[in-house]
Amino acid sequence: GYITLITPVKKRKKQRQMKCKDRRSGLILTIPLCTEQTSMEELSSTLDYLLSIPSEKCKARGFTVIVDGRKSQWNVVKTVVLMLQNVIPAEVSLVCVVKPDEFWDKKVTHFCFWKEKDRLGFEVILVSANKLTRYIEPCQLTDEFGGSLQYDHMDWVNKRLVFEKFTKESTSLLDELAVINENEKASQPDKASRPSDSNALPSFDPETVLQTGHELLSELQQRRFNGSEGGGGGGGTAWSPMDDELLAQPQVMKLLDSLREQYTKYQEVCRQRSKRSQLEEIQTKVMQVVNWLEGPGTEQLRTQWGIGDSIRASQALLLKHEEIESQHSEWFAVYVELNQQMAALLSAGDDEDLLELKALQQQLSDVCYRQASQLEFRQNVLQSAHDFHGTAQDLSQQLDGLLGMLCADVAPADGAAIQQTLKHLEEKLKSVEGALQSLREKGQVLLEQISNQSSWFYGKDMQIENKENIDHIHSIMEDMQLRKQRCEDMVDVRRLKMLQMVQLFKCEEDASQAVEWLGELLDALLKTHIRLGDDSQEAKVLLEKHRKFVDVAQSTYDYGRQLLQATVVLCQSLRCTTRSSGDTLPRLNRVWKQFTVTADERQHRLDMASTFHTAADRVLKEGSEPGELLDVEVFEEVETVGKALLDRLTIPVIFPDGSEQFFGSPGDMASSAENIRDRMKLVEDKRLQQEEAEQLQEEVALEAGPDES
């Protein structure tokens, strides 16, 4: 079981008074007994502890003790009541023994307590749980006794443990902080002779103890607020804060105030300690940085002077320099950190520390900036050397590629390929010129840097090394210039040869084009030059057009012959024995022969058509006048030429190779033939009309003859 100590609530005047209120307003002590064996020694210790909590003023009002014996034996209850006489006889005013409903003999128990009343010194009553409110207000009783008091015993125990822990830790912490602060104050005038334990630390964390105290005080204040305000109005019950909690608040507040005061002083002590420690640490680190940069760091740079003789060598030197920079970077990082720390101390430091800090900061900055400048200068020289050797290597590769192109045999497929090759050569040569110019510029920059290199090598004689580097740079630039000049000369020769080849291909291409044009003229002659004219005038026009058409074909043939002759001359100039006119000349001659045969046939047909139309026009025009008679030979000429022309239209053109080709389509020939037949029919009709006229004249003459006779 557990023992509780409860303080009655003091009601305001406006609140309704509760019945069975303890008139003495004393503390209520509840002792629950269980069926198990109760240790009187533990019970006595618990009572002593609980009685030590209230103040003397509270204890002077007396205690009302509730002994809950409903689950215990009468002998145990009697022993507990008698023990109260030894533990708190003066403070006990009333002992209420809560009895079970069915056990114990009323007469015996009542008689025994009455018999011992004078010796006990306090009144003992035996009461049932439901009648306990006659002596104590219900609002001061927990629900197990029919009351309305909200009470959590475990919560009270936990809070009590927190309070005692805080009291113990804060008291100890206050003593330790006071000692630390006094020692620091005593050693402040003489900084050089500080005791070895000047950096002592307290056993408890002040922040944690303060947080615990604030949480405890907040809990106690919240309970007091609820206890005084929560039951206002009406007849409702309110939770009553314990007197020990009310008394604990001033004690906690006093401890917190003292602790805050000492902790503030301790924080200043810690700040001074940290400042001294930081200053000493900065001094040590500054000397470490300065000693390394002026010692091993400077020696590393003294051993570096070359620029390498190739891009691989310069790359290796760059990697070595990066290693040196990496080692320096670690110390530079320390410098940056130290500089920030010193700046912070200077902004918030004491006057006596400013001069020392400024001197350290200036010394460190001078050494670091000087070493960083040397590293940067060496880095620039190596980077320029790497760029120079890289450009030289790239230029050498370009010259090798250009030389390979110039030494290879030229066997282009056509003029376009030659033009593309020429363009590629020009681009290569232009790229080489640009790379050589870039090499000169980078070499000049590197020479200027090398000439200034000895100024930061700590007095070391660099003339021999610089001469070797300078001679190496000049040698590379001169060699590249000579190689580029040789390639330019070879490009000029190759350009001339390729231009001749372009001309050769152009002549061959134009000759083939002349053959195609001549073939197109032949095709047009056979397919479109079909008409023979509707009269003599149109026939003459067609004859004139045909002569011009033949002249165009003749010019095309002559142009093709000239181009083929030019190809022979170019092949001889280029010593290109494998190339010739090929089948272009035979094709040209073959097409030309076919064209001449066709043109002759066309000329012959147009001549026949002109003769035919001239004779027909004569018949049709001259024979149209009345009384005019034409000779029979004229009609016969029209008929003879027309038939011959019709026969000619049915005959194909026979080429020299034996092949045949008709003019136009069969429909075109039929149309031309039909036109000739129509004119022949008109002439025939004219002849018949003339014969009829002649016969009529003869008949008239015969009839007139007999009459005259």
Side-chain angles (χ1 to χ4, degrees):
Y2 55 87
I3 301 175
T4 58
L5 187 65
I6 305 173
T7 303
V9 175
K10 297 179 180 179
K11 296 291 182 177
R12 297 179 181 178
K13 293 181 179 181
K14 292 183 179 181
Q15 290 181 330
R16 182 171 58 89
Q17 297 296 323
M18 303 297 294
K19 293 182 178 181
C20 300
K21 179 181 178 182
D22 188 351
R23 291 187 298 270
R24 294 179 300 273
S25 296
L27 298 177
I28 301 174
L29 180 64
T30 303
I31 304 176
L33 301 177
C34 57
T35 56
E36 300 176 357
Q37 185 66 29
T38 301
S39 173
M40 294 298 125
E41 183 178 355
E42 292 180 0
L43 182 59
S44 176
S45 299
T46 302
L47 289 173
D48 290 339
Y49 170 74
L50 290 176
L51 292 175
S52 67
I53 296 174
S55 62
E56 294 298 327
K57 182 178 179 180
C58 290
K59 289 190 286 185
R61 293 197 297 266
F63 289 91
T64 297
V65 181
I66 301 175
V67 180
D68 188 1
R70 289 175 293 179
K71 297 180 180 180
S72 182
Q73 300 294 327
W74 163 249
N75 293 333
V76 175
V77 173
K78 181 179 179 181
T79 303
V80 170
V81 172
L82 294 176
M83 184 185 67
L84 292 175
Q85 180 187 17
N86 299 325
V87 177
I88 48 173
E91 287 84 358
V92 176
S93 301
L94 175 65
V95 176
C96 297
V97 178
V98 181
K99 65 178 181 177
D101 296 335
E102 299 178 357
F103 298 98
W104 301 353
D105 187 340
K106 285 185 178 181
K107 295 181 179 180
V108 174
T109 55
H110 181 70
F111 175 77
C112 291
F113 281 127
W114 176 82
K115 184 178 180 181
E116 300 292 337
K117 179 177 180 181
D118 295 336
R119 186 170 63 87
L120 289 173
F122 48 79
E123 182 182 1
V124 180
I125 61 175
L126 195 64
V127 64
S128 299
N130 55 359
K131 297 181 180 180
L132 192 59
T133 55
R134 296 178 180 178
Y135 306 95
I136 303 172
E137 294 182 6
C139 64
Q140 306 304 318
L141 295 174
T142 59
D143 56 352
E144 59 185 334
F145 298 117
S148 60
L149 178 65
Q150 300 296 324
Y151 173 74
D152 186 346
H153 182 67
M154 294 308 299
D155 179 67
W156 180 87
V157 171
N158 292 332
K159 291 297 184 295
R160 187 66 191 180
L161 291 175
V162 171
F163 168 75
E164 292 181 357
K165 180 175 180 294
F166 168 73
T167 303
K168 178 181 178 182
E169 291 180 354
S170 59
T171 303
S172 175
L173 183 59
L174 281 172
D175 295 338
E176 293 178 359
L177 292 179
V179 173
I180 293 173
N181 295 336
E182 287 299 324
N183 290 339
E184 182 69 20
K185 184 177 180 181
S187 62
Q188 189 69 23
D190 188 5
K191 297 183 179 180
S193 58
R194 297 182 184 276
S196 58
D197 59 345
S198 59
N199 292 332
L201 299 176
S203 303
F204 303 101
D205 179 24
E207 293 286 347
T208 304
V209 176
L210 282 171
Q211 182 179 359
T212 302
H214 285 299
E215 292 175 355
L216 178 61
L217 181 61
S218 176
E219 178 69 20
L220 293 175
Q221 291 174 343
Q222 184 66 26
R223 288 173 178 269
R224 182 175 186 180
F225 174 79
N226 292 338
S228 61
E229 301 292 340
T237 59
W239 185 86
S240 301
M242 298 294 293
D243 268 356
D244 64 294
E245 292 176 344
L246 295 176
L247 295 174
Q249 291 183 36
Q251 186 177 356
V252 172
M253 293 175 64
K254 182 178 180 181
L255 286 173
L256 284 174
D257 292 340
S258 300
L259 191 58
R260 277 193 292 266
E261 180 182 358
Q262 290 296 331
Y263 182 52
T264 301
K265 296 179 181 179
Y266 174 71
Q267 285 179 318
E268 179 62 23
V269 170
C270 291
R271 192 184 70 82
Q272 294 296 332
R273 287 180 182 178
S274 176
K275 180 180 175 182
R276 290 195 304 271
S277 175
Q278 190 174 7
L279 184 58
E280 293 171 358
E281 182 181 359
I282 287 175
Q283 291 174 339
T284 302
K285 289 184 178 180
V286 166
M287 295 313 301
Q288 289 176 350
V289 174
V290 170
N291 292 336
W292 190 90
L293 292 179
E294 293 183 344
T298 300
E299 188 62 29
Q300 287 179 346
L301 288 177
R302 283 176 178 171
T303 60
Q304 300 294 311
W305 57 266
I307 62 171
D309 57 357
S310 63
I311 188 172
R312 180 176 297 179
S314 61
Q315 182 67 34
L317 290 174
L318 273 174
L319 292 176
K320 177 63 177 177
H321 185 73
E322 288 178 0
E323 294 178 2
I324 296 175
E325 281 188 332
S326 178
Q327 297 179 20
H328 280 75
S329 297
E330 297 177 1
W331 293 99
F332 289 154
V334 176
Y335 157 69
V336 172
E337 181 181 356
L338 289 174
N339 196 40
Q340 293 175 350
Q341 293 176 2
M342 287 187 288
L345 290 176
L346 285 172
S347 62
D350 298 331
D351 294 338
E352 59 185 8
D353 300 328
L354 292 180
L355 295 178
E356 183 180 359
L357 276 175
K358 286 183 178 179
L360 281 174
Q361 188 180 40
Q362 188 63 42
Q363 180 186 10
L364 182 62
S365 297
D366 292 343
V367 173
C368 289
Y369 277 111
R370 182 173 64 249
Q371 199 76 357
S373 299
Q374 295 166 2
L375 285 170
E376 183 179 5
F377 190 90
R378 176 62 180 167
Q379 171 71 24
N380 293 336
V381 171
L382 291 177
Q383 188 61 52
S384 298
H386 183 268
D387 294 342
F388 175 78
H389 288 113
T391 304
Q393 178 176 304
D394 181 61
L395 177 58
S396 179
Q397 292 174 354
Q398 291 186 40
L399 289 170
D400 291 341
L402 181 58
L403 185 62
M405 289 182 61
L406 295 171
C407 294
D409 293 335
V410 181
D414 50 28
I418 293 177
Q419 292 289 357
Q420 185 65 27
T421 304
L422 274 175
K423 182 180 179 182
H424 191 44
L425 275 175
E426 296 294 343
E427 290 176 351
K428 282 277 188 180
L429 187 59
K430 185 177 181 181
S431 177
V432 166
E433 292 176 352
L436 183 59
Q437 180 62 29
S438 177
L439 182 68
R440 293 194 190 100
E441 295 174 356
K442 293 180 180 179
Q444 186 61 36
V445 171
L446 184 57
L447 288 172
E448 293 176 358
Q449 289 178 332
I450 290 176
S451 64
N452 299 325
Q453 189 173 14
S454 60
S455 62
W456 54 271
F457 261 97
Y458 303 97
K460 183 180 178 182
D461 187 7
M462 296 295 298
Q463 295 180 358
I464 298 178
E465 292 83 352
N466 280 342
K467 185 177 185 305
E468 292 179 359
N469 294 332
I470 292 171
D471 292 343
H472 171 68
I473 295 170
H474 285 301
S475 174
I476 290 179
M477 291 193 293
E478 291 172 0
D479 178 61
M480 293 300 171
Q481 177 63 38
L482 291 175
R483 290 178 61 186
K484 185 252 184 183
Q485 187 61 47
R486 288 195 297 269
C487 287
E488 279 185 341
D489 296 340
M490 295 180 68
V491 167
D492 292 338
V493 176
R494 177 58 61 88
R495 185 186 294 112
L496 179 60
K497 183 177 180 180
M498 298 191 78
L499 288 175
Q500 289 179 337
M501 293 190 71
V502 169
Q503 189 176 4
L504 173 61
F505 280 117
K506 182 63 176 174
C507 289
E508 292 178 346
E509 182 181 352
D510 291 348
S512 298
Q513 184 65 47
V515 174
E516 293 180 5
W517 288 344
L518 199 57
E520 292 174 357
L521 292 174
L522 174 60
D523 190 60
L525 181 60
L526 287 170
K527 294 182 179 180
T528 62
H529 291 215
I530 301 168
R531 286 182 53 78
L532 298 176
D534 295 334
D535 51 30
S536 59
Q537 186 66 30
E538 187 176 357
K540 291 177 181 180
V541 173
L542 291 174
L543 274 170
E544 183 63 26
K545 289 183 178 180
H546 178 69
R547 280 192 293 270
K548 293 181 179 179
F549 187 77
V550 172
D551 291 341
V552 172
Q554 182 68 50
S555 300
T556 303
Y557 172 71
D558 295 339
Y559 176 66
R561 294 279 297 184
Q562 293 171 3
L563 291 173
L564 291 175
Q565 291 174 0
T567 59
V568 173
V569 175
L570 289 171
C571 284
Q572 293 174 353
S573 176
L574 293 171
R575 298 178 182 178
C576 185
T577 57
T578 58
R579 299 189 64 86
S580 63
S581 60
D583 64 342
T584 306
L585 182 59
R587 287 173 51 231
L588 179 63
N589 291 331
R590 183 173 63 253
V591 176
W592 176 245
K593 289 179 181 179
Q594 291 176 352
F595 183 84
T596 55
V597 171
T598 306
D600 291 344
E601 177 63 24
R602 173 67 174 169
Q603 178 71 34
H604 188 66
R605 292 185 182 188
L606 286 174
D607 290 340
M608 292 178 67
S610 179
T611 303
F612 170 76
H613 285 303
T614 300
D617 288 344
R618 179 183 175 189
V619 171
L620 295 175
K621 291 181 180 180
E622 294 181 0
S624 62
E625 296 180 2
E628 183 180 358
L629 300 176
L630 298 174
D631 294 336
V632 177
E633 291 80 4
V634 177
F635 290 103
E636 291 177 351
E637 181 184 5
V638 173
E639 184 177 1
T640 301
V641 175
K643 289 181 178 180
L645 184 56
L646 289 174
D647 292 339
R648 196 82 181 191
L649 290 177
T650 60
I651 299 173
V653 179
I654 301 175
F655 296 138
D657 59 357
S659 60
E660 298 178 353
Q661 183 70 41
F662 286 92
F663 279 96
S665 63
D668 295 333
M669 291 297 99
S671 177
S672 298
E674 185 66 26
N675 186 29
I676 295 172
R677 291 190 186 96
D678 290 341
R679 299 214 75 186
M680 288 177 67
K681 187 176 183 303
L682 292 174
V683 172
E684 180 63 22
D685 292 341
K686 189 67 175 179
R687 186 182 66 81
L688 291 176
Q689 291 177 4
Q690 184 172 327
E691 287 179 354
E692 290 178 358
E694 288 177 352
Q695 186 178 0
L696 181 60
Q697 288 179 1
E698 288 177 359
E699 290 177 357
V700 171
L702 289 176
E703 290 177 0
D707 292 339
E708 291 178 356
S709 60

